[in-house]
Amino acid sequence: MTVRDTPGVPFGPRGPGAAPEAAEGADEFLLRQIAGALAFLSRLCTVPHPVYPAKVQNAYNRLVLHCLRRGEEPPGSIPEMVRWACERPLPEWPLDLPDEAKSLTGPLVDPESRLPHQSCLEWEVNAADPAAELFENQRILEALAVCRAARNPQAYTAFRSLLTNRPVLTGVDLALLGGNAEFGMLLHHIIKQCYEPVPASYLGDDGTYRQCGRCRCLMVPLPDGSHRCELDRCRRDVTSHAATLLRADQSGLHQLSRPLRMFVTSPGIAETDIEAALRTRFGIVAEMWPNYDAYDLRVPLPGLRHWAVDVKDRVNPVQLARTLTPFRTDPPYDRAFLVVPHYRFRENEAYGRQFHRHLPDDLTGRVTLVDDRTFLRLVGEEAATLPGTGRSRKEGERHA
């Protein structure tokens, strides 16, 4: 995921700063407000008192008015609106939404963990008022600015790798990062703002936390005593990944804020998986986040050619298409790919068609949408044009 489409940042006329209610249906705009309210509630550390924040109350008031105008029974309170989000899939909401939106049949909020699903956070991304979301983006943009001023792209790459590979840190770990030779003194003040103390809701009955064996994020305890990873990729993965038990040190336990876990760590895992596959299968060393995150991977190929790759792990292909912007051309490339994990296409067989139907005309033909398996197969075919790489091609075809 590159910074140019990080949630909450308006880029160009299609960004959230440009007349959102005029650019989309009023019901879709209302859904964005509701999603923003649900996400806001999930980030509160204390019970709202004496009244709910304006962002939450306004979304609820608009939903009630909308229901009354349609002759529908509205939710009787904000907690009941949250109950709707836990129990009702989008097609059952009294909202006129595009057919593609109605195909996302799950609820906005996990009924067991009571945390918003990724689909809910994606609806929040292009909300009319991105001020709350800008805080998360500001950390990334500030890191970019600091590294550019220091002319140190390696520090930014190391920073992105940290957010991908270490979403959970003890208080001691967080303090020791200040002495990191790659980015410590340069970015430590930003890193400390990216991580937040882990709330007690993640603590199990046995006094331990559980860290997902795949993404390394903390797992959420459920009422039946089990635990669940909050990232879509891990929950849908059929491969078992044993959890790691963690205990907080005297300085406590810290984790990346949830938007960063969802929109930086999650796609970052897909990016590093592709980088590792390129290296092990084909001996290709891709450059990660080149030129301060112009795109995610720059893949060298025979004939001094390069492919540019941006990795997205989005539930909604329509929002992905609407918010996509052209790849930066420095460093240069010969072909641009938008790569989405295979499981998204497996869950939604119309993913590609819905994406292309909503892709802006100025991007048609400039970027190729594929899943990660197909991309690795295509690289294998290209790599096989090098002398002595026939074995790599067979391996790529078998695994891709």
Side-chain angles (χ1 to χ4, degrees), residues 355-371:
F355 172 84
H356 288 293
R357 192 177 302 133
H358 293 268
L359 187 66
D361 292 341
D362 61 336
L363 287 176
T364 301
R366 297 178 62 182
V367 62
T368 302
L369 174 71
V370 294
D371 66 57

Side-chain angles (χ1 to χ4, degrees), residues 179-230:
N180 183 283
E182 292 181 293
F183 55 74
M185 294 303 294
L186 192 63
L187 296 175
H188 193 221
H189 68 290
I190 299 173
I191 292 169
K192 288 191 294 185
Q193 295 177 71
C194 293
Y195 289 83
E196 59 190 17
V198 174
S201 58
Y202 285 86
L203 188 65
D205 293 336
D206 58 357
T208 65
Y209 301 90
R210 281 169 171 76
Q211 190 175 25
C212 175
R214 179 171 190 164
C215 68
R216 302 181 184 88
C217 293
L218 292 181
M219 303 180 77
V220 182
L222 301 179
D224 63 1
S226 63
H227 291 73
R228 176 183 298 162
C229 183
E230 61 186 351

Side-chain angles (χ1 to χ4, degrees), residues 134 136 178 210 247 312 367-368 379:
L134 279 175
E136 305 300 338
R210 281 169 171 76
R247 291 186 181 274
K312 300 288 182 290
V367 62
T368 302
V379 172

